[in-house]
Amino acid sequence: MERHISSSSSLSRSFFSRTLTKRDEIAEASLNVKGPLGLNTLYVPTDSTAADLVFVHGLGGGSRSTWTKNGEPALYWPEEWLPNDPGFRDVSIHSFGYDSNWDKESSLNIHDFSKSLLASIHDCPSMSRTSD
């Protein structure tokens, strides 16, 4: 029987992806109000991308609710307004959501969420790469 040994970074990525996916399924109803979990691409320029901008909410916030006025989808400015600003037309825009409800006990902490964000950025096909 042949054994395959994965690198620790791929194990971490796999663990955090599975954990966040499971947490998303469990808490889907309550988190839909705040927005989706994980890295979400909101806008990719049709021409070349000069930069990637990632919106990360704070404690108690959400990937949509933090950036939306009065809960109105048309007022979700990172997706609805920012791509129309001439200064951002060559910028890819993303948001990152995590379960930021600090009132409840969790086995994951901010360090875990930051690792998940970095792994998501690394694995995101729409994020620009440079060889510098």
Side-chain angles (χ1 to χ4, degrees):
M1 179 175 169
E2 185 177 326
R3 290 181 62 181
H4 176 69
I5 300 175
S6 300
S7 71
S8 64
S9 67
S10 66
L11 284 174
S12 295
R13 235 187 333 250
S14 175
F15 168 77
F16 291 118
S17 296
R18 279 195 319 265
T19 303
L20 288 176
T21 301
K22 185 65 176 169
R23 290 179 62 84
D24 187 28
E25 291 168 4
I26 293 170
E28 184 177 352
S30 65
L31 292 177
N32 277 342
V33 175
K34 291 186 174 191
L37 299 179
L39 187 65
N40 303 283
T41 300
L42 306 176
Y43 171 77
V44 177
T46 55
D47 296 330
S48 65
T49 299
D52 288 283
L53 177 62
V54 180
F55 286 83
V56 181
H57 60 85
L59 292 176
S63 62
R64 288 190 72 88
S65 62
T66 296
W67 317 108
T68 303
K69 183 173 178 167
N70 301 329
E72 293 290 328
L75 301 179
Y76 180 45
W77 64 271
E79 185 173 47
E80 301 300 326
W81 299 348
L82 204 54
N84 296 317
D85 186 305
F88 287 89
R89 289 210 177 121
D90 61 350
V91 175
S92 287
I93 303 169
H94 315 268
S95 69
F96 182 78
Y98 60 97
D99 186 358
S100 63
N101 184 355
W102 50 275
D103 288 341
K104 68 179 185 179
E105 189 173 328
S106 174
S107 59
L108 299 176
N109 60 35
I110 197 71
H111 182 74
D112 297 324
F113 295 126
S114 64
K115 281 183 171 180
S116 178
L117 171 59
L118 291 175
S120 297
I121 289 171
H122 180 268
D123 294 341
C124 183
S126 65
M127 288 254 181
S128 58
R129 303 276 191 267
T130 60
S131 59
D132 294 351

PDB file of all heavy atoms in Angstrom, residues 70-95:
ATOM      1  N   ASN A  70     -28.207  50.146   5.091  1.00  0.00           N
ATOM      2  CA  ASN A  70     -29.612  49.807   5.366  1.00  0.00           C
ATOM      3  C   ASN A  70     -30.047  48.440   4.854  1.00  0.00           C
ATOM      4  O   ASN A  70     -31.223  48.216   4.616  1.00  0.00           O
ATOM      5  CB  ASN A  70     -30.546  50.876   4.799  1.00  0.00           C
ATOM      6  CG  ASN A  70     -30.274  52.243   5.373  1.00  0.00           C
ATOM      7  OD1 ASN A  70     -29.859  52.381   6.518  1.00  0.00           O
ATOM      8  ND2 ASN A  70     -30.486  53.268   4.569  1.00  0.00           N
ATOM      9  N   GLY A  71     -29.091  47.524   4.630  1.00  0.00           N
ATOM     10  CA  GLY A  71     -29.436  46.174   4.170  1.00  0.00           C
ATOM     11  C   GLY A  71     -29.937  46.088   2.746  1.00  0.00           C
ATOM     12  O   GLY A  71     -30.411  45.044   2.314  1.00  0.00           O
ATOM     13  N   GLU A  72     -29.848  47.167   1.992  1.00  0.00           N
ATOM     14  CA  GLU A  72     -30.321  47.197   0.605  1.00  0.00           C
ATOM     15  C   GLU A  72     -29.238  46.653  -0.337  1.00  0.00           C
ATOM     16  O   GLU A  72     -28.150  47.209  -0.394  1.00  0.00           O
ATOM     17  CB  GLU A  72     -30.654  48.631   0.181  1.00  0.00           C
ATOM     18  CG  GLU A  72     -31.828  49.228   0.898  1.00  0.00           C
ATOM     19  CD  GLU A  72     -33.138  48.579   0.468  1.00  0.00           C
ATOM     20  OE1 GLU A  72     -33.255  48.160  -0.696  1.00  0.00           O
ATOM     21  OE2 GLU A  72     -34.030  48.485   1.321  1.00  0.00           O
ATOM     22  N   PRO A  73     -29.517  45.581  -1.104  1.00  0.00           N
ATOM     23  CA  PRO A  73     -28.513  45.030  -2.014  1.00  0.00           C
ATOM     24  C   PRO A  73     -27.945  46.052  -2.999  1.00  0.00           C
ATOM     25  O   PRO A  73     -26.766  45.996  -3.350  1.00  0.00           O
ATOM     26  CB  PRO A  73     -29.273  43.923  -2.759  1.00  0.00           C
ATOM     27  CG  PRO A  73     -30.366  43.530  -1.827  1.00  0.00           C
ATOM     28  CD  PRO A  73     -30.749  44.798  -1.095  1.00  0.00           C
ATOM     29  N   ALA A  74     -28.754  46.991  -3.447  1.00  0.00           N
ATOM     30  CA  ALA A  74     -28.274  48.016  -4.379  1.00  0.00           C
ATOM     31  C   ALA A  74     -27.296  48.982  -3.719  1.00  0.00           C
ATOM     32  O   ALA A  74     -26.609  49.732  -4.409  1.00  0.00           O
ATOM     33  CB  ALA A  74     -29.454  48.792  -4.961  1.00  0.00           C
ATOM     34  N   LEU A  75     -27.228  48.952  -2.387  1.00  0.00           N
ATOM     35  CA  LEU A  75     -26.317  49.844  -1.655  1.00  0.00           C
ATOM     36  C   LEU A  75     -25.087  49.104  -1.132  1.00  0.00           C
ATOM     37  O   LEU A  75     -24.409  49.560  -0.220  1.00  0.00           O
ATOM     38  CB  LEU A  75     -27.058  50.524  -0.500  1.00  0.00           C
ATOM     39  CG  LEU A  75     -28.275  51.367  -0.918  1.00  0.00           C
ATOM     40  CD1 LEU A  75     -28.946  51.971   0.307  1.00  0.00           C
ATOM     41  CD2 LEU A  75     -27.869  52.447  -1.897  1.00  0.00           C
ATOM     42  N   TYR A  76     -24.781  47.941  -1.715  1.00  0.00           N
ATOM     43  CA  TYR A  76     -23.571  47.176  -1.401  1.00  0.00           C
ATOM     44  C   TYR A  76     -22.450  47.762  -2.255  1.00  0.00           C
ATOM     45  O   TYR A  76     -22.161  47.302  -3.347  1.00  0.00           O
ATOM     46  CB  TYR A  76     -23.805  45.701  -1.686  1.00  0.00           C
ATOM     47  CG  TYR A  76     -22.629  44.791  -1.413  1.00  0.00           C
ATOM     48  CD1 TYR A  76     -21.871  44.904  -0.258  1.00  0.00           C
ATOM     49  CD2 TYR A  76     -22.294  43.786  -2.306  1.00  0.00           C
ATOM     50  CE1 TYR A  76     -20.814  44.057  -0.004  1.00  0.00           C
ATOM     51  CE2 TYR A  76     -21.243  42.929  -2.058  1.00  0.00           C
ATOM     52  CZ  TYR A  76     -20.508  43.064  -0.905  1.00  0.00           C
ATOM     53  OH  TYR A  76     -19.452  42.223  -0.658  1.00  0.00           O
ATOM     54  N   TRP A  77     -21.837  48.830  -1.747  1.00  0.00           N
ATOM     55  CA  TRP A  77     -20.974  49.665  -2.562  1.00  0.00           C
ATOM     56  C   TRP A  77     -19.718  48.994  -3.125  1.00  0.00           C
ATOM     57  O   TRP A  77     -19.278  49.367  -4.220  1.00  0.00           O
ATOM     58  CB  TRP A  77     -20.647  50.971  -1.843  1.00  0.00           C
ATOM     59  CG  TRP A  77     -19.862  50.850  -0.577  1.00  0.00           C
ATOM     60  CD1 TRP A  77     -20.345  50.688   0.681  1.00  0.00           C
ATOM     61  CD2 TRP A  77     -18.456  50.915  -0.445  1.00  0.00           C
ATOM     62  NE1 TRP A  77     -19.331  50.636   1.586  1.00  0.00           N
ATOM     63  CE2 TRP A  77     -18.144  50.778   0.921  1.00  0.00           C
ATOM     64  CE3 TRP A  77     -17.402  51.073  -1.348  1.00  0.00           C
ATOM     65  CZ2 TRP A  77     -16.844  50.787   1.409  1.00  0.00           C
ATOM     66  CZ3 TRP A  77     -16.106  51.089  -0.867  1.00  0.00           C
ATOM     67  CH2 TRP A  77     -15.844  50.951   0.491  1.00  0.00           C
ATOM     68  N   PRO A  78     -19.096  48.000  -2.480  1.00  0.00           N
ATOM     69  CA  PRO A  78     -17.927  47.390  -3.115  1.00  0.00           C
ATOM     70  C   PRO A  78     -18.253  46.701  -4.445  1.00  0.00           C
ATOM     71  O   PRO A  78     -17.414  46.644  -5.339  1.00  0.00           O
ATOM     72  CB  PRO A  78     -17.447  46.355  -2.086  1.00  0.00           C
ATOM     73  CG  PRO A  78     -17.954  46.857  -0.783  1.00  0.00           C
ATOM     74  CD  PRO A  78     -19.286  47.492  -1.103  1.00  0.00           C
ATOM     75  N   GLU A  79     -19.474  46.218  -4.582  1.00  0.00           N
ATOM     76  CA  GLU A  79     -19.865  45.522  -5.811  1.00  0.00           C
ATOM     77  C   GLU A  79     -20.653  46.412  -6.763  1.00  0.00           C
ATOM     78  O   GLU A  79     -20.495  46.338  -7.980  1.00  0.00           O
ATOM     79  CB  GLU A  79     -20.707  44.298  -5.456  1.00  0.00           C
ATOM     80  CG  GLU A  79     -21.070  43.430  -6.640  1.00  0.00           C
ATOM     81  CD  GLU A  79     -21.758  42.158  -6.217  1.00  0.00           C
ATOM     82  OE1 GLU A  79     -22.695  42.219  -5.392  1.00  0.00           O
ATOM     83  OE2 GLU A  79     -21.351  41.106  -6.709  1.00  0.00           O
ATOM     84  N   GLU A  80     -21.496  47.275  -6.221  1.00  0.00           N
ATOM     85  CA  GLU A  80     -22.395  48.072  -7.056  1.00  0.00           C
ATOM     86  C   GLU A  80     -21.812  49.410  -7.500  1.00  0.00           C
ATOM     87  O   GLU A  80     -22.099  49.869  -8.597  1.00  0.00           O
ATOM     88  CB  GLU A  80     -23.716  48.313  -6.314  1.00  0.00           C
ATOM     89  CG  GLU A  80     -24.453  47.041  -5.939  1.00  0.00           C
ATOM     90  CD  GLU A  80     -24.815  46.194  -7.152  1.00  0.00           C
ATOM     91  OE1 GLU A  80     -25.113  46.746  -8.223  1.00  0.00           O
ATOM     92  OE2 GLU A  80     -24.801  44.955  -7.015  1.00  0.00           O
ATOM     93  N   TRP A  81     -21.021  50.052  -6.645  1.00  0.00           N
ATOM     94  CA  TRP A  81     -20.544  51.404  -6.949  1.00  0.00           C
ATOM     95  C   TRP A  81     -19.063  51.455  -7.306  1.00  0.00           C
ATOM     96  O   TRP A  81     -18.667  52.140  -8.240  1.00  0.00           O
ATOM     97  CB  TRP A  81     -20.795  52.343  -5.782  1.00  0.00           C
ATOM     98  CG  TRP A  81     -22.228  52.515  -5.415  1.00  0.00           C
ATOM     99  CD1 TRP A  81     -23.329  52.127  -6.132  1.00  0.00           C
ATOM    100  CD2 TRP A  81     -22.734  53.125  -4.232  1.00  0.00           C
ATOM    101  NE1 TRP A  81     -24.481  52.450  -5.467  1.00  0.00           N
ATOM    102  CE2 TRP A  81     -24.156  53.071  -4.299  1.00  0.00           C
ATOM    103  CE3 TRP A  81     -22.150  53.710  -3.131  1.00  0.00           C
ATOM    104  CZ2 TRP A  81     -24.969  53.584  -3.298  1.00  0.00           C
ATOM    105  CZ3 TRP A  81     -22.962  54.219  -2.137  1.00  0.00           C
ATOM    106  CH2 TRP A  81     -24.356  54.153  -2.227  1.00  0.00           C
ATOM    107  N   LEU A  82     -18.229  50.756  -6.543  1.00  0.00           N
ATOM    108  CA  LEU A  82     -16.781  50.874  -6.723  1.00  0.00           C
ATOM    109  C   LEU A  82     -16.305  50.504  -8.134  1.00  0.00           C
ATOM    110  O   LEU A  82     -15.466  51.218  -8.692  1.00  0.00           O
ATOM    111  CB  LEU A  82     -16.055  50.038  -5.666  1.00  0.00           C
ATOM    112  CG  LEU A  82     -14.637  50.459  -5.320  1.00  0.00           C
ATOM    113  CD1 LEU A  82     -14.549  51.924  -4.921  1.00  0.00           C
ATOM    114  CD2 LEU A  82     -14.082  49.579  -4.212  1.00  0.00           C
ATOM    115  N   PRO A  83     -16.820  49.453  -8.764  1.00  0.00           N
ATOM    116  CA  PRO A  83     -16.366  49.130 -10.123  1.00  0.00           C
ATOM    117  C   PRO A  83     -16.678  50.234 -11.143  1.00  0.00           C
ATOM    118  O   PRO A  83     -16.041  50.301 -12.196  1.00  0.00           O
ATOM    119  CB  PRO A  83     -17.141  47.858 -10.478  1.00  0.00           C
ATOM    120  CG  PRO A  83     -17.481  47.252  -9.172  1.00  0.00           C
ATOM    121  CD  PRO A  83     -17.716  48.410  -8.245  1.00  0.00           C
ATOM    122  N   ASN A  84     -17.637  51.102 -10.847  1.00  0.00           N
ATOM    123  CA  ASN A  84     -17.981  52.186 -11.764  1.00  0.00           C
ATOM    124  C   ASN A  84     -17.139  53.437 -11.553  1.00  0.00           C
ATOM    125  O   ASN A  84     -17.210  54.359 -12.359  1.00  0.00           O
ATOM    126  CB  ASN A  84     -19.468  52.536 -11.610  1.00  0.00           C
ATOM    127  CG  ASN A  84     -20.345  51.368 -12.006  1.00  0.00           C
ATOM    128  OD1 ASN A  84     -20.095  50.707 -13.014  1.00  0.00           O
ATOM    129  ND2 ASN A  84     -21.348  51.079 -11.210  1.00  0.00           N
ATOM    130  N   ASP A  85     -16.368  53.470 -10.488  1.00  0.00           N
ATOM    131  CA  ASP A  85     -15.474  54.598 -10.232  1.00  0.00           C
ATOM    132  C   ASP A  85     -14.274  54.482 -11.169  1.00  0.00           C
ATOM    133  O   ASP A  85     -13.608  53.446 -11.200  1.00  0.00           O
ATOM    134  CB  ASP A  85     -15.014  54.567  -8.772  1.00  0.00           C
ATOM    135  CG  ASP A  85     -14.196  55.776  -8.391  1.00  0.00           C
ATOM    136  OD1 ASP A  85     -13.174  56.055  -9.065  1.00  0.00           O
ATOM    137  OD2 ASP A  85     -14.569  56.449  -7.414  1.00  0.00           O
ATOM    138  N   PRO A  86     -13.975  55.524 -11.959  1.00  0.00           N
ATOM    139  CA  PRO A  86     -12.861  55.452 -12.920  1.00  0.00           C
ATOM    140  C   PRO A  86     -11.525  55.046 -12.282  1.00  0.00           C
ATOM    141  O   PRO A  86     -10.718  54.371 -12.920  1.00  0.00           O
ATOM    142  CB  PRO A  86     -12.780  56.873 -13.492  1.00  0.00           C
ATOM    143  CG  PRO A  86     -14.139  57.436 -13.284  1.00  0.00           C
ATOM    144  CD  PRO A  86     -14.671  56.817 -12.026  1.00  0.00           C
ATOM    145  N   GLY A  87     -11.304  55.398 -11.043  1.00  0.00           N
ATOM    146  CA  GLY A  87     -10.051  55.052 -10.378  1.00  0.00           C
ATOM    147  C   GLY A  87      -9.927  53.587 -10.000  1.00  0.00           C
ATOM    148  O   GLY A  87      -8.851  53.121  -9.634  1.00  0.00           O
ATOM    149  N   PHE A  88     -11.035  52.823 -10.095  1.00  0.00           N
ATOM    150  CA  PHE A  88     -11.021  51.420  -9.698  1.00  0.00           C
ATOM    151  C   PHE A  88     -11.382  50.463 -10.835  1.00  0.00           C
ATOM    152  O   PHE A  88     -11.561  49.280 -10.604  1.00  0.00           O
ATOM    153  CB  PHE A  88     -11.988  51.201  -8.528  1.00  0.00           C
ATOM    154  CG  PHE A  88     -11.476  51.764  -7.240  1.00  0.00           C
ATOM    155  CD1 PHE A  88     -11.742  53.080  -6.896  1.00  0.00           C
ATOM    156  CD2 PHE A  88     -10.719  50.994  -6.382  1.00  0.00           C
ATOM    157  CE1 PHE A  88     -11.266  53.616  -5.715  1.00  0.00           C
ATOM    158  CE2 PHE A  88     -10.225  51.513  -5.196  1.00  0.00           C
ATOM    159  CZ  PHE A  88     -10.502  52.829  -4.858  1.00  0.00           C
ATOM    160  N   ARG A  89     -11.479  50.957 -12.046  1.00  0.00           N
ATOM    161  CA  ARG A  89     -11.902  50.106 -13.163  1.00  0.00           C
ATOM    162  C   ARG A  89     -10.885  49.015 -13.495  1.00  0.00           C
ATOM    163  O   ARG A  89     -11.239  48.024 -14.122  1.00  0.00           O
ATOM    164  CB  ARG A  89     -12.205  50.951 -14.391  1.00  0.00           C
ATOM    165  CG  ARG A  89     -13.480  51.738 -14.179  1.00  0.00           C
ATOM    166  CD  ARG A  89     -14.221  52.001 -15.462  1.00  0.00           C
ATOM    167  NE  ARG A  89     -15.463  52.686 -15.157  1.00  0.00           N
ATOM    168  CZ  ARG A  89     -15.787  53.872 -15.623  1.00  0.00           C
ATOM    169  NH1 ARG A  89     -14.966  54.500 -16.431  1.00  0.00           N
ATOM    170  NH2 ARG A  89     -16.932  54.418 -15.296  1.00  0.00           N
ATOM    171  N   ASP A  90      -9.619  49.187 -13.087  1.00  0.00           N
ATOM    172  CA  ASP A  90      -8.611  48.160 -13.349  1.00  0.00           C
ATOM    173  C   ASP A  90      -8.228  47.404 -12.069  1.00  0.00           C
ATOM    174  O   ASP A  90      -7.184  46.785 -11.981  1.00  0.00           O
ATOM    175  CB  ASP A  90      -7.376  48.754 -14.010  1.00  0.00           C
ATOM    176  CG  ASP A  90      -6.689  49.810 -13.165  1.00  0.00           C
ATOM    177  OD1 ASP A  90      -7.260  50.243 -12.144  1.00  0.00           O
ATOM    178  OD2 ASP A  90      -5.562  50.201 -13.524  1.00  0.00           O
ATOM    179  N   VAL A  91      -9.115  47.436 -11.069  1.00  0.00           N
ATOM    180  CA  VAL A  91      -8.874  46.776  -9.784  1.00  0.00           C
ATOM    181  C   VAL A  91      -9.887  45.645  -9.602  1.00  0.00           C
ATOM    182  O   VAL A  91     -11.086  45.861  -9.723  1.00  0.00           O
ATOM    183  CB  VAL A  91      -8.994  47.791  -8.621  1.00  0.00           C
ATOM    184  CG1 VAL A  91      -8.857  47.095  -7.279  1.00  0.00           C
ATOM    185  CG2 VAL A  91      -7.957  48.891  -8.763  1.00  0.00           C
ATOM    186  N   SER A  92      -9.384  44.438  -9.319  1.00  0.00           N
ATOM    187  CA  SER A  92     -10.278  43.329  -8.958  1.00  0.00           C
ATOM    188  C   SER A  92     -10.729  43.539  -7.520  1.00  0.00           C
ATOM    189  O   SER A  92      -9.926  43.911  -6.657  1.00  0.00           O
ATOM    190  CB  SER A  92      -9.560  41.986  -9.073  1.00  0.00           C
ATOM    191  OG  SER A  92      -9.362  41.635 -10.409  1.00  0.00           O
ATOM    192  N   ILE A  93     -12.009  43.300  -7.260  1.00  0.00           N
ATOM    193  CA  ILE A  93     -12.572  43.554  -5.931  1.00  0.00           C
ATOM    194  C   ILE A  93     -13.120  42.255  -5.357  1.00  0.00           C
ATOM    195  O   ILE A  93     -13.838  41.518  -6.035  1.00  0.00           O
ATOM    196  CB  ILE A  93     -13.676  44.627  -6.015  1.00  0.00           C
ATOM    197  CG1 ILE A  93     -13.112  45.915  -6.631  1.00  0.00           C
ATOM    198  CG2 ILE A  93     -14.273  44.891  -4.636  1.00  0.00           C
ATOM    199  CD1 ILE A  93     -14.156  46.940  -7.010  1.00  0.00           C
ATOM    200  N   HIS A  94     -12.751  41.985  -4.108  1.00  0.00           N
ATOM    201  CA  HIS A  94     -13.151  40.765  -3.415  1.00  0.00           C
ATOM    202  C   HIS A  94     -13.619  41.122  -2.010  1.00  0.00           C
ATOM    203  O   HIS A  94     -13.279  42.179  -1.478  1.00  0.00           O
ATOM    204  CB  HIS A  94     -11.971  39.791  -3.296  1.00  0.00           C
ATOM    205  CG  HIS A  94     -11.174  39.626  -4.540  1.00  0.00           C
ATOM    206  ND1 HIS A  94     -11.444  38.647  -5.467  1.00  0.00           N
ATOM    207  CD2 HIS A  94     -10.114  40.320  -5.027  1.00  0.00           C
ATOM    208  CE1 HIS A  94     -10.578  38.739  -6.459  1.00  0.00           C
ATOM    209  NE2 HIS A  94      -9.761  39.753  -6.214  1.00  0.00           N
ATOM    210  N   SER A  95     -14.376  40.214  -1.397  1.00  0.00           N
ATOM    211  CA  SER A  95     -14.691  40.343   0.022  1.00  0.00           C
ATOM    212  C   SER A  95     -14.357  39.014   0.686  1.00  0.00           C
ATOM    213  O   SER A  95     -14.358  37.966   0.031  1.00  0.00           O
ATOM    214  CB  SER A  95     -16.167  40.692   0.246  1.00  0.00           C
ATOM    215  OG  SER A  95     -16.986  39.604  -0.106  1.00  0.00           O
TER     216      SER A  95
END
